[in-house]
Amino acid sequence: MPKPNAATLSIVSGLLLLTALQACAHRPADLPATVPVAVAIERPLPPAELMACADRPAGLPEDASLIAQIPTAIRAGIIRMARAFRANAEGKDRLVNWLAADSCLVPGKAVR
């Protein structure tokens, strides 16, 4: 077997030293997993005038002779406005009920 020269010995000793030092290297301890904590958040309520349930006034009289006197185009406009009013009133009542449960009676929903 040939005799190793100084360069070969230097490389081999360097590799052995590198391997030994890696085995002794300081490894930080694993940190414990953090558990998320639920935090209660109190949302402020809007002013009282915004928390009022929608006012639903009485509609037009249901007398057939009066309805027959309203021109068709105007009657269609009244129907569109009434449907839009109903949708807005229901949306406001749902919002008030979401902020303060069961504050407004929702038409068609059973009362507990």
Side-chain angles (χ1 to χ4, degrees), residues 44-84:
L45 292 178
E49 63 269 9
L50 296 179
M51 289 295 294
C53 298
D55 183 29
R56 289 177 170 81
L60 296 173
E62 295 187 22
D63 185 9
S65 64
L66 290 175
I67 292 175
Q69 295 174 9
I70 300 173
T72 305
I74 294 175
R75 187 175 11 187
I78 292 171
I79 291 170
R80 285 192 304 273
M81 287 191 308
R83 287 180 179 160

Side-chain angles (χ1 to χ4, degrees), residues 2-73:
K3 199 171 188 188
N5 62 11
T8 306
L9 287 177
S10 174
I11 292 173
V12 171
S13 62
L15 288 174
L16 288 174
L17 185 60
L18 183 63
T19 304
L21 288 177
Q22 283 181 352
C24 297
H26 174 69
R27 292 189 185 107
D30 292 335
L31 297 175
T34 57
V35 177
V37 177
V39 177
I41 298 175
E42 290 188 31
R43 57 182 169 212
L45 292 178
E49 63 269 9
L50 296 179
M51 289 295 294
C53 298
D55 183 29
R56 289 177 170 81
L60 296 173
E62 295 187 22
D63 185 9
S65 64
L66 290 175
I67 292 175
Q69 295 174 9
I70 300 173
T72 305

Side-chain angles (χ1 to χ4, degrees), residues 67-103:
I67 292 175
Q69 295 174 9
I70 300 173
T72 305
I74 294 175
R75 187 175 11 187
I78 292 171
I79 291 170
R80 285 192 304 273
M81 287 191 308
R83 287 180 179 160
F85 178 82
R86 180 181 65 194
N88 289 336
E90 288 174 354
K92 183 178 183 198
D93 286 346
R94 282 195 313 269
L95 179 61
V96 170
N97 283 336
W98 182 67
L99 292 170
D102 296 330
S103 295

